[in-house]
Amino acid sequence: QVQVVESGGGSVQAGGSLRLSCVASRYRFSSMGWFRQAPGKEREGVAAIDTDGSTKYADSVKGRFTISKDNAKNNLYLQMNSLKPEDTAMYYCAADTRRYRGLGLEYTYWGQGTQVTVSS
């Protein structure tokens, strides 16, 4: 089974930064991405990256978040700067072995999530 595990969440004040990490099983994924979900809200795509490094970002995080990959380790990262209270959510790492999924929710593999809390 493919394993996907997130880490790096925590509590910060508005304007602060966090760096999330995702450790995935050794495999060449077609797409990897970060998603988030707040209580009572639908899950939404935050950032995605394909095999050649092409990226996509949700409008709400453009200019503040950066997604990247460590190709040797097949790990995924999300650098989050200038955090806002509305960024508070459970953040999930996702991966797909079949095709590029972008910010869509049709990824095959999902982690258990890491909590990010941003206070005013």
Side-chain angles (χ1 to χ4, degrees), residues 78-99:
L78 184 67
Q79 179 65 46
M80 305 185 293
N81 298 326
S82 302
L83 284 163
K84 305 175 181 179
E86 50 263 45
D87 293 319
T88 296
M90 184 72 73
Y91 283 71
Y92 299 89
C93 177
D96 197 280
T97 60
R98 299 181 63 183
R99 61 176 60 251

Side-chain angles (χ1 to χ4, degrees), residues 18-95:
L18 284 174
R19 187 171 188 253
L20 306 184
S21 298
C22 173
V23 179
S25 300
R26 287 226 175 184
Y27 198 87
R28 188 170 182 270
F29 296 106
S30 298
S31 182
M32 297 186 76
W34 288 99
F35 297 77
R36 66 186 182 187
Q37 186 171 22
K41 304 291 185 179
E42 294 185 348
R43 188 170 299 188
E44 62 176 346
V46 175
I49 188 167
D50 67 7
T51 54
D52 68 0
S54 180
T55 60
K56 287 186 177 181
Y57 295 94
D59 290 340
S60 59
V61 306
K62 287 181 179 177
R64 300 189 297 120
F65 292 9
T66 302
I67 187 172
S68 61
K69 286 182 64 180
D70 181 331
N71 292 323
K73 299 179 179 180
N74 205 36
N75 293 345
L76 185 70
Y77 306 96
L78 184 67
Q79 179 65 46
M80 305 185 293
N81 298 326
S82 302
L83 284 163
K84 305 175 181 179
E86 50 263 45
D87 293 319
T88 296
M90 184 72 73
Y91 283 71
Y92 299 89
C93 177

